Amino acid sequence: MNDHKFIYHVEPKLAKRIIALFDSLALPANLHGYEYLASAVAIAVENPDTIYAVTKKIYPDIAKRYDTNVACVEAAIRNAIDTSWLIGDADILYSIFGHTVRHSSGRPSDAEYIAMVSSKLLVDGDTMG
């Protein structure tokens, strides 16, 4: 498993679960968007209400923590999701994101991706003891 250091404080157990899920989604760990997306998912898991304000709460928080701007965070996350969508296993992607896939882009929006991944982690966390 990859060893990542998140600037956004993530509880170690949650960080391991995010990394494992990202590995299954073929999300390349070498992209800037990987850590931004991991942070976004962690924020959404820890504070589920933030999923309704991705661009107003999550992205600005990440930009501040990583000393960058919101546009860079959004672009990097979009690139990471696009890359994952291109190289990931279609069955795994559709099992998680099936109904959120847009016909125009062929993938879920960034906010939908964050919401679905965080929801999966929350639901799976309930069964993990």
Side-chain angles (χ1 to χ4, degrees):
M1 187 176 300
N2 297 324
D3 182 31
H4 294 283
K5 295 179 182 171
F6 298 95
I7 289 176
Y8 177 82
H9 174 73
V10 177
E11 192 270 326
K13 193 179 207 181
L14 176 58
K16 287 181 182 180
R17 292 176 56 225
I18 291 169
I19 291 165
L21 184 53
F22 282 5
D23 286 347
S24 74
L25 296 171
L27 199 89
N30 64 324
L31 300 176
H32 283 300
Y34 182 98
E35 295 227 5
Y36 297 164
L37 189 56
S39 295
V41 169
I43 292 167
V45 167
E46 293 169 352
N47 305 294
D49 288 343
T50 60
I51 198 59
Y52 302 109
V54 172
T55 58
K56 292 185 181 197
K57 291 185 180 176
I58 294 178
Y59 288 173
D61 187 27
I62 293 168
K64 183 177 178 182
R65 291 174 190 268
Y66 285 86
D67 194 29
T68 188
N69 63 59
V70 172
C72 288
V73 170
E74 186 174 8
I77 287 176
R78 186 174 42 255
N79 180 55
I81 293 170
D82 286 343
T83 303
S84 168
W85 208 260
L86 287 171
I87 65 175
D89 182 297
D91 292 335
I92 293 171
L93 292 167
Y94 281 98
S95 73
I96 296 172
F97 304 104
H99 73 282
T100 63
V101 176
R102 297 173 182 262
H103 295 291
S104 59
S105 65
R107 68 165 184 84
S109 71
D110 298 356
E112 288 167 329
Y113 193 100
I114 294 165
M116 296 304 291
V117 169
S118 61
S119 292
K120 178 163 181 49
L121 289 166
L122 285 166
V123 169
D124 290 352
D126 288 344
T127 63
M128 295 183 97

